[in-house]
Amino acid sequence: MAATKRDLRDGVRWLWRHPEMRDVTIASAVVCAMDAAWFAVLVLYVTEALHRTAGVYGLLFVVGALGGIAVGILGEHVLRRIGPWPALVVSGLVMALSQVGLGLTDTVVVAAVMLFASSGAFALFNITAVTMRQRQVPTAMHGRVSGLCLTVSRSAEVLGALIGGALASSAGIRAPTLFGAIPIAAVVVFLAWQYRSRRYPSAT
């Protein structure tokens, strides 16, 4: 237990001293939280907002998975083509816009396109964040920093799911998608401005 706490402190210290990776970790937490917010109520969104059956939910789930798989195959090419910082910004903006699209549409086909885009963008964002971390964090610190980032992301997902449920109950089933787009857009705009002159992270 003492070693675990020490490793956690070491990870926090390293991350705090490296603004680029700290900002990416914070952005990842926001993205994970807001993605989990609407995903937690997706089945209710399909049945109540789109007025479709559970079978359609399963189909939409598959379509979303295909988006993630497609980007998983093409992600490395995209990173080489445009660079990590632009990839984070583009994928974040696509997530925000697709959530707005989900929140506004009444059409299954449009919802399917939005889910495909959102899942693909989420995959690209995560691939980029992990790749940046692997390249920036010293080998000796990889386990500690990666463990910390994973803990932050998973905790954010739990919090996001709770937020999504609360929003759906208080403001309607579409609220988690529409509300979640705002924090995601905010963090990627911050990244775009903060690192506007870079395509690649600076050397540590």
Side-chain angles (χ1 to χ4, degrees):
M1 182 66 71
T4 301
K5 290 181 178 179
R6 183 170 61 251
D7 289 346
L8 181 60
R9 285 196 300 268
D10 290 344
V12 171
R13 272 196 294 264
W14 189 93
L15 207 57
W16 186 254
R17 293 170 183 169
H18 294 78
E20 292 183 2
M21 293 301 97
R22 182 186 67 214
D23 291 344
V24 170
T25 301
I26 293 171
S28 295
V30 172
V31 166
C32 286
M34 295 301 98
D35 184 77
W38 67 263
F39 195 79
V41 297
L42 179 60
V43 65
L44 296 177
Y45 164 82
V46 173
T47 57
E48 295 182 12
L50 298 183
H51 306 291
R52 302 291 175 170
T53 65
V56 174
Y57 164 75
L59 181 61
L60 290 174
F61 191 88
V62 170
V63 170
L66 289 175
I69 293 170
V71 172
I73 296 171
L74 301 173
E76 184 179 354
H77 173 73
V78 173
L79 285 177
R80 285 200 306 266
R81 184 83 174 180
I82 68 176
W85 289 115
L88 286 178
V89 173
V90 169
S91 59
L93 291 177
V94 170
M95 274 187 281
L97 291 173
S98 60
Q99 286 191 204
V100 172
L102 278 172
L104 296 178
T105 190
D106 291 314
T107 306
V108 172
V109 173
V110 174
V113 172
M114 295 300 103
L115 281 168
F116 185 91
S118 179
S119 295
F122 185 77
L124 180 58
F125 192 97
N126 283 325
I127 290 169
T128 305
V130 170
T131 300
M132 292 173 75
R133 187 166 66 243
Q134 290 174 340
R135 292 176 177 173
Q136 288 289 93
V137 180
T139 301
M141 292 295 297
H142 263 172
R144 279 166 280 192
V145 175
S146 295
L148 173 63
C149 292
L150 185 62
T151 299
V152 170
S153 296
R154 293 295 176 265
S155 300
E157 287 178 354
V158 172
L159 178 60
L162 294 173
I163 292 173
L167 282 171
S169 297
S170 62
I173 201 64
R174 296 176 183 272
T177 56
L178 295 172
F179 171 82
I182 299 171
I184 292 176
V187 294
V188 296
V189 167
F190 169 79
L191 291 179
W193 174 256
Q194 186 74 2
Y195 304 103
R196 58 192 178 280
S197 61
R198 301 180 191 172
R199 289 184 66 218
Y200 296 91
S202 61
T204 55

